[in-house]
Amino acid sequence: MWNKSLQTLMVSTIMAVGVSLSACNSNTESDTAAKEAGADNSEQTAAETSKAENPNANADLDGATAAQGTPVKYDIASWGTAKVTSLSIDELKKIQSAFGKVVSTDENSLDYASNPASKYRFMQDDAPYLDLIDSEKYLELGWYFANPTDSDKEKEISQNHAKKAYQLARQLMGDEGGKLVADMLGGQIAKNKTIGGQKVELAKCEFYSCMLVINKSAAQTADK
């Protein structure tokens, strides 16, 4: 039979030990939480310090940052809508005159469909290009399409090229031809359409290049 005094002493001892262990566990958990919080704060401080010391942290891995420039604007409204002298698709000399003076000729070039053709260049090789490519089946107008990061001079030349193409397109296809070039400069692409009496195989401006390809075969009476 248990002695009440002994029983009371044992109960008191057990309770005291329990309280002591609980306090130890509580202190251990507090210490662990404090260490973890300290580690998080250290990592955050290190990251902020690194970012402050390296303002180009968001740059590409090779150290380059995304280049930005001013988009090229085409003042199409100022290019005029007055009546122009119409040209036939076969009047090559007059078409060349609309682009200016031929600087060089390549008689061994290829057209849009890789057929033998002649390429007429209206700019020096080191300048933004302006070309005509003439073959038995196609007449192609090609010019440099400036990028926002290009120099002001390159943009100006590109704008002048576009103006010449716009005016020539009006001579070949009327006002519809002018609208076609305006749409090209605005990012639209035309394929296999009859525009102003001419069969346009492809018309687009992208990746530094504008190309307007006219099929010399008989024009269709309706868009495909």
Side-chain angles (χ1 to χ4, degrees):
M1 188 172 181
W2 286 95
N3 184 291
K4 288 186 177 181
S5 298
L6 180 60
Q7 182 179 8
T8 301
L9 177 61
M10 291 181 66
V11 170
S12 299
T13 301
I14 292 172
M15 291 178 64
V17 171
V19 170
S20 177
L21 290 175
S22 176
C24 289
N25 289 338
S26 177
N27 290 336
T28 301
E29 292 174 355
S30 298
D31 290 344
T32 301
K35 289 179 180 179
E36 291 177 350
D40 291 342
N41 290 335
S42 297
E43 291 177 359
Q44 182 177 356
T45 301
E48 291 175 350
T49 301
S50 175
K51 185 175 181 180
E53 293 176 350
N54 183 16
N56 294 323
N58 292 327
D60 295 339
L61 292 178
D62 61 359
T65 55
Q68 295 183 349
T70 304
V72 183
K73 295 182 179 180
Y74 297 93
D75 189 10
I76 298 173
S78 69
W79 293 351
T81 56
K83 186 176 180 179
V84 295
T85 302
S86 298
L87 291 177
S88 167
I89 195 70
D90 295 316
E91 295 183 281
L92 182 59
K93 291 296 183 182
K94 292 182 179 180
I95 291 173
Q96 290 175 342
S97 296
F99 265 13
K101 181 181 178 181
V102 176
V103 173
S104 64
T105 302
D106 180 2
E107 299 288 353
N108 297 310
S109 188
L110 298 174
D111 68 9
Y112 165 76
S114 298
N115 300 309
S118 296
K119 177 188 286 187
Y120 304 95
R121 310 211 72 170
F122 296 83
M123 300 293 291
Q124 297 294 338
D125 290 341
D126 59 350
Y129 75 94
L130 175 64
D131 298 342
L132 281 175
I133 300 178
D134 182 63
S135 69
E136 183 177 348
K137 187 174 181 179
Y138 297 103
L139 175 69
E140 303 175 33
L141 285 60
W143 68 95
Y144 181 75
F145 184 52
N147 190 66
T149 57
D150 283 340
S151 68
D152 290 342
K153 183 62 176 178
E154 289 170 325
K155 291 177 181 179
E156 181 183 358
I157 293 174
S158 177
Q159 290 167 329
N160 290 336
H161 289 352
K163 181 178 180 179
K164 289 181 178 180
Y166 173 88
Q167 293 172 336
L168 178 55
R170 289 190 66 223
Q171 288 183 280
L172 293 170
M173 295 173 277
D175 289 341
E176 291 183 56
K179 183 179 184 304
L180 172 63
V181 173
D183 289 343
M184 291 169 61
L185 297 172
Q188 296 186 41
I189 298 175
K191 294 182 179 180
N192 300 320
K193 289 188 174 183
T194 299
I195 298 176
Q198 300 290 352
K199 184 179 179 182
V200 175
E201 198 90 0
L202 177 64
K204 67 175 182 177
C205 289
E206 60 182 5
F207 306 124
Y208 299 94
S209 176
C210 287
M211 61 187 303
L212 171 53
V213 183
I214 301 174
N215 193 320
K216 290 182 176 181
S217 63
Q220 303 296 308
T221 57
D223 292 350
K224 288 185 177 181

